[in-house]
Amino acid sequence: MSARAPEHRLWSAHRDLIETAVRTDLTHPFRSGQPHFPGFGDERRETVFSLEGGDDFTVHRYTLVGQWGTHVDPPSHFVAGARTLDRIPVEEMILPLVVLDVADRVRTDPDTTPTLDDVRSWERRNGRVPAGSFVALRTGWSRRRPDPVAMTNRDEDGVSHTPGWSAEVLQYLFEEVDAAAIGHEQSDTDPGIAGSAGDCALEAYVLGRDRWQLELMTNLDRLPEAGALIVATWPRPLGGSGFPARAFALSHP
């Protein structure tokens, strides 16, 4: 008589996820020529070995800045001596995912930022924002990628009009809720008007509180506003101040 196979709880949970969960990629593929901060050089990709060229394998050499494409900003990106990428534990890479949706307002007002009323409305429908959660700001801005002109949306005076976070909402999320991290579809934490004036106070606030963030996310419109999980991963460069990230969500159908 054969022994009964042991029950492995995580394997069972994985089977349940595969059978029932919707998996949504939240990451843009990066490439040379994509929209990027003007102070950064473009990506360079060189073929070191090539199957097509008769080599036994294909290898590319990538030269790019850490803040490239969908990427993670650790606290050390803005704060000297703060946590670097290799010091963010894996416990912070699987989190409850909250989606705060202001996309309807952005369609008519690209300078939109979320308000505490938006958060209170979310909480009336779903309960309090969970401590230790990842809060993503859905603006619809990712639909403008990869057009750099549409992404920056500058007026005739060169001022960028893009949505961003607000101080009141970030303070609530980090000082009252104790959220673990945030993310957004646009390229900056601060709205475009502030960024055009050289004001990065909101990004400095987030990273200054020892939190991390994902920028240039996508597909937030495919997610429920509550109940999903985010899995966010990146390489582990020693002392790293930023890197392209791969993030995806798990949600119920």
Side-chain angles (χ1 to χ4, degrees):
M1 181 181 295
S2 61
R4 181 179 179 182
E7 177 68 19
H8 298 291
R9 292 174 59 191
L10 289 180
W11 288 3
S12 296
H14 178 259
R15 284 195 299 271
D16 291 341
L17 284 174
I18 292 300
E19 292 172 0
T20 64
V22 176
R23 284 144 285 176
T24 304
D25 200 331
L26 306 178
T27 314
H28 291 286
F30 65 77
R31 60 172 177 78
S32 176
Q34 69 178 13
H36 60 274
F37 177 67
F40 298 157
D42 198 4
E43 171 191 333
R44 299 198 307 276
R45 191 175 304 192
E46 307 162 70
T47 301
V48 181
F49 297 98
S50 168
L51 288 167
E52 291 80 3
D55 298 315
D56 292 335
F57 43 76
T58 295
V59 173
H60 292 104
R61 178 184 295 115
Y62 301 86
T63 304
L64 45 82
V65 296
Q67 275 68 22
W68 190 250
T70 303
H71 65 270
V72 56
D73 289 328
S76 65
H77 179 44
F78 266 42
V79 183
R83 281 195 302 170
T84 50
L85 287 181
D86 54 298
R87 293 165 56 195
I88 297 176
V90 294
E91 288 83 357
E92 293 185 34
M93 296 182 180
I94 305 177
L95 301 170
L97 176 57
V98 169
V99 178
L100 193 60
D101 188 354
V102 296
D104 284 345
R105 294 208 305 273
V106 170
R107 291 188 183 95
T108 56
D109 178 12
D111 299 313
T112 292
T113 61
T115 67
L116 281 180
D117 285 343
D118 294 319
V119 178
R120 300 301 187 198
S121 178
W122 188 98
E123 290 185 322
R124 283 193 295 272
R125 294 188 298 272
N126 303 290
R128 186 172 171 85
V129 174
S133 60
F134 182 103
V135 184
L137 181 64
R138 182 192 167 206
T139 60
W141 212 252
S142 62
R143 292 194 295 266
R144 294 171 173 250
R145 189 180 171 90
D147 184 343
V149 175
M151 286 288 291
T152 54
N153 195 36
R154 297 188 185 278
D155 63 22
E156 59 186 12
D157 297 318
V159 176
S160 178
H161 295 274
T162 66
W165 289 90
S166 65
E168 64 175 3
V169 167
L170 290 176
Q171 287 166 3
Y172 176 77
L173 293 176
F174 292 133
E175 297 177 29
E176 297 190 43
V177 169
D178 196 26
I182 63 163
H184 40 267
E185 298 177 61
Q186 61 276 7
S187 59
D188 291 299
T189 317
D190 297 80
I193 290 177
S196 295
D199 180 1
C200 299
L202 298 183
E203 184 164 358
Y205 169 78
V206 172
L207 303 181
R209 293 195 65 85
D210 195 34
R211 302 315 206 273
W212 55 271
Q213 65 176 16
L214 294 181
E215 296 195 305
L216 292 166
M217 301 179 72
T218 190
N219 292 331
L220 294 178
D221 58 330
R222 300 183 184 180
L223 302 177
E225 64 176 5
L229 299 177
I230 186 171
V231 181
T233 64
W234 50 81
R236 199 183 182 195
L238 187 65
S241 60
F243 219 95
R246 187 70 182 268
F248 63 93
L250 298 168
S251 60
H252 289 299

